[in-house]
Amino acid sequence: MKKIDGWLTAPQGFVAAGVTAGLKVSGKPDLAMVFSKVPAACGAVFTQNKMCAAPVLVDREVNKNDYARAIVANSGCANACTGLKGLADAREMQSYTAGLLNINVNDVFVCSTGVIGAFMPMDKIRKGIKIATEQLSIDGGKNCAEAVQTTDTFIKHSVYEAEIGGKKITVAGIAKGAGMIHPNMATMLTFLTTDAAVTPVLLKRMVKSAADKSFNMVVVDGDTSTNDSMIVLANGMAGNDLITDEKHPDYQAFYDLLLAVAVDLAKMIAHDGEGATKYLEVNVVGAKNFAEAKIAAMAIAKSPLVKTAFFGEDPNWGRIVCAAGYSGAEMIAEKVNLSIGGIRLVENGLNCNVSLEKLKPIMAEKEISMAIDLAAGDAKATVWTCDFSYEYVKINGEYHT
Amino acid sequence: MKKIDGWLTAPQGFVAAGVTAGLKVSGKPDLAMVFSKVPAACGAVFTQNKMCAAPVLVDREVNKNDYARAIVANSGCANACTGLKGLADAREMQSYTAGLLNINVNDVFVCSTGVIGAFMPMDKIRKGIKIATEQLSIDGGKNCAEAVQTTDTFIKHSVYEAEIGGKKITVAGIAKGAGMIHPNMATMLTFLTTDAAVTPVLLKRMVKSAADKSFNMVVVDGDTSTNDSMIVLANGMAGNDLITDEKHPDYQAFYDLLLAVAVDLAKMIAHDGEGATKYLEVNVVGAKNFAEAKIAAMAIAKSPLVKTAFFGEDPNWGRIVCAAGYSGAEMIAEKVNLSIGGIRLVENGLNCNVSLEKLKPIMAEKEISMAIDLAAGDAKATVWTCDFSYEYVKINGEYHT
């Protein structure tokens, strides 16, 4: 398995486009499209927010099918809290795209991201879809990724390839997401393409599992969006032996490839958390079970006190053990160990009195990992997050409705 | 029932003191003491954080008794994550105070607040306790309240009195708390004194109930401290007929008095949230039950996206319904209603398109209430919180260990 440069069009048989429909005041690209030349097995997971957006309602229906062909997405308007009109707009976005691409309506996934509560400017959407279908090409991958960004500061993409069963298989992915990031299935918008041949039923299971190990382990601000979607299209053009179940000899290699792309994108989302100045990796070990390890890691990663301490480059370990303490995870207080950047700060629940001089260079790093041992079992979990800065407050105090 | 000016010494039979022991670099008062001239029924609730501080371990034992006489508290050092030595220090603080006051060791509650992980400077603590016992007086209430502050910007105190069963009964309270505020029983440090005669068993139940309706409905940053404690002393000097159970004719009047003080202090804590520029009241109605109403209100009140929007004076109602949506509370998305400052912004899940001009003066207020109807039942809950500002990041990025 190796990482290569590229976009959603790196796997065989995919074309893409990203155009300016005019939803963003900035004039930046805001309508993205991906298209598979042949029917692709599809698998997707969506937000569990009860106020989910109209496109999510549409996509849940699409995902009941085995195969799909296209994803159309806009940024600038979330089409959430828009009622029946919003649902009609999402369906029109879907059917208009299907008509121009000459495919079935149910072959099109629809995604939106942006401000909640506003209706879609359908004339602009239609115009954008028209131009995008005309511009679909193997070179359109970068534009496509650009067109789903909102407050992102860099474009998140990742491509891995491997020889599996004698065939070269490629998995490519893009993601958007900087705010409203909290795991509750797929997080934010992320699209993956692959030329692997895999059955739809198996792919759906693999997508769920990969989401749990990647995007669901990222937290920026604890807010679960109304629009989170992870959609994977697998068109089989690599010509590999069809992967049918978990016992297939090529299953693990393909799963590893899929997970590598998903984890890569998930970490990029943490790196690009709104206002982030530092990327933080929270490792919990010694938990009673995985669920408790994740609960403790999430409590630490979500704590505004922990996040602002890292922003201030303050090795305030008390806030970290405090967050683990209130998380609800079982722990033995007098056996807790804690390290930051590999330096042991707490041993058996007690301060190791490491000098601030020794910690200063570690706290000044842009990427910092911490590990806490709860001394309650053998399970572990890692959550990726970022610090909490003035810039976060600025971005979210000023990103007006 | 009327609100009066005063401190913990307003009820009969209490004296107090607040002195500088030298734990705070600033030289401000950092050791507080309250003393009842006669044994007082005691009731208390404490943090549920598994990494709870040494004084909490000591106080849980004290609270198993019916009566107590004194509370001694220091600010500047939390005595948390300090192991067996910390526990010995807390016990010494307790026994040293008891010795000087000539009372039983188990008559003394001990509290600490400040930095986690450092050992108590016991020479300073002893010196402070010595001076405090000498300075105990009816005029010491204000100093006592000052000595438990950390990042607080104003002193929180509240006193109510009422004639109950022909006797004047007074309840007084002080609280500290600005950061690490999240309900999980009692929140932060709060001490209440009263001259009411009430049985210890009943008082303990009343304190738990009052905490659930006051301090447990406040959230600043979602972090539950290692040291949270609410302690109530009732010395009976008002001479009222002993209140023995919930059916006693004076029960409700006394409960209302206790709750009035607790709610007053709880709201003050939200007003004084670290870096707060606005006080926010989150009302959830139409929930399936109280637990779900509270879950939804807490999700809204804790959301960094909601809190920064209010800081930016942006009526971003999408973030409010989004937070309710991911809270886990049942809701009917297409029937949700939402108001801010009494103006309806969302009706039946749809944007009411209220002009920004109309909302501008409301969003500029220093105290803003919002109400969301989940359309899933008849239960309701109110949570008090504050916005999230640059100052929060500054305070917590720079409050170094």
Side-chain angles (χ1 to χ4, degrees), chain A residues 211-273:
Chain A
D212 283 341
K213 291 181 181 169
S214 56
F215 300 106
N216 287 354
M217 300 307 279
V218 177
V219 62
V220 170
D221 51 20
D223 281 275
T224 302
S225 156
T226 48
N227 292 56
D228 295 342
S229 304
M230 174 187 184
I231 300 171
V232 184
L233 298 178
N235 69 8
M237 286 185 72
N240 60 300
D241 183 48
L242 184 71
I243 304 171
T244 49
D245 59 40
E246 286 80 353
K247 288 173 189 150
H248 188 284
D250 297 335
Y251 170 82
Q252 194 58 46
F254 174 58
Y255 182 79
D256 290 347
L257 207 58
L258 189 72
L259 189 61
V261 172
V263 167
D264 225 24
L265 292 170
K267 289 183 178 180
M268 286 180 203
I269 286 167
H271 270 98
D272 199 21

Side-chain angles (χ1 to χ4, degrees), chain A residues 180-182 221-225 392, chain B residues 299 303-306 319 322-323 326:
Chain A
M180 268 206 193
I181 299 301
H182 183 62
D221 51 20
D223 281 275
T224 302
S225 156
Y392 178 88
Chain B
S303 162
L305 287 172
V306 171
R319 295 180 180 174
C322 175
Y326 66 68

Side-chain angles (χ1 to χ4, degrees), chain A residues 63-121:
Chain A
N63 194 40
K64 285 180 184 165
N65 302 318
D66 287 346
Y67 299 92
R69 296 285 296 273
I71 305 170
V72 60
N74 72 278
S75 54
C77 174
N79 196 6
C81 301
T82 47
L84 291 175
K85 172 157 166 48
L87 193 58
D89 288 346
R91 288 200 199 285
E92 186 185 343
M93 202 168 152
Q94 181 190 38
S95 59
Y96 190 71
T97 304
L100 289 172
L101 293 174
N102 197 23
I103 57 178
N104 290 327
V105 169
N106 275 334
D107 282 343
V108 182
F109 283 100
V110 183
C111 297
S112 297
T113 175
V115 175
I116 294 174
F119 289 119
M120 299 278 274

Side-chain angles (χ1 to χ4, degrees), chain B residues 118 168 205 239 255 266 276-277 327 358 372:
Chain B
K168 189 184 83 174
R205 284 203 299 271
Y255 183 78
T277 73
S327 70
K358 194 171 172 189
I372 182 166

Side-chain angles (χ1 to χ4, degrees), chain B residues 51-173:
Chain B
M51 293 298 293
C52 75
V56 172
L57 296 174
V58 171
D59 287 353
R60 285 202 178 116
E61 293 300 310
V62 174
N63 194 40
K64 285 180 185 166
N65 303 318
D66 287 345
Y67 298 92
R69 296 284 297 273
I71 304 170
V72 60
N74 72 277
S75 54
C77 175
N79 196 8
C81 301
T82 46
L84 291 175
K85 172 159 165 48
L87 192 59
D89 288 346
R91 288 201 199 286
E92 187 186 342
M93 203 168 151
Q94 180 190 37
S95 59
Y96 190 72
T97 303
L100 289 172
L101 293 174
N102 196 24
I103 57 179
N104 290 328
V105 169
N106 275 334
D107 282 343
V108 181
F109 284 99
V110 183
C111 297
S112 297
T113 175
V115 175
I116 294 174
F119 290 117
M120 299 278 275
M122 289 308 293
D123 48 343
K124 291 180 180 171
I125 293 284
R126 277 187 297 266
K127 190 193 79 179
I129 290 173
K130 183 102 193 342
I131 305 171
T133 54
E134 290 161 6
Q135 295 195 356
L136 282 173
S137 82
I138 202 161
D139 300 323
K142 188 178 178 196
N143 288 347
C144 172
E146 274 176 345
V148 291
Q149 314 291 304
T150 53
T151 53
D152 306 64
T153 66
F154 63 89
I155 302 176
K156 291 149 207 74
H157 66 116
S158 174
V159 184
Y160 278 81
E161 63 176 32
E163 197 178 287
I164 299 177
K167 302 287 177 180
K168 189 184 83 174
I169 290 182
T170 307
V171 176

Side-chain angles (χ1 to χ4, degrees), chain A residues 160-183:
Chain A
Y160 278 81
E161 64 176 33
E163 198 179 285
I164 298 178
K167 303 286 180 182
K168 189 183 82 174
I169 290 182
T170 307
V171 175
I174 61 169
K176 78 134 303 241
M180 268 206 193
I181 299 301
H182 183 62

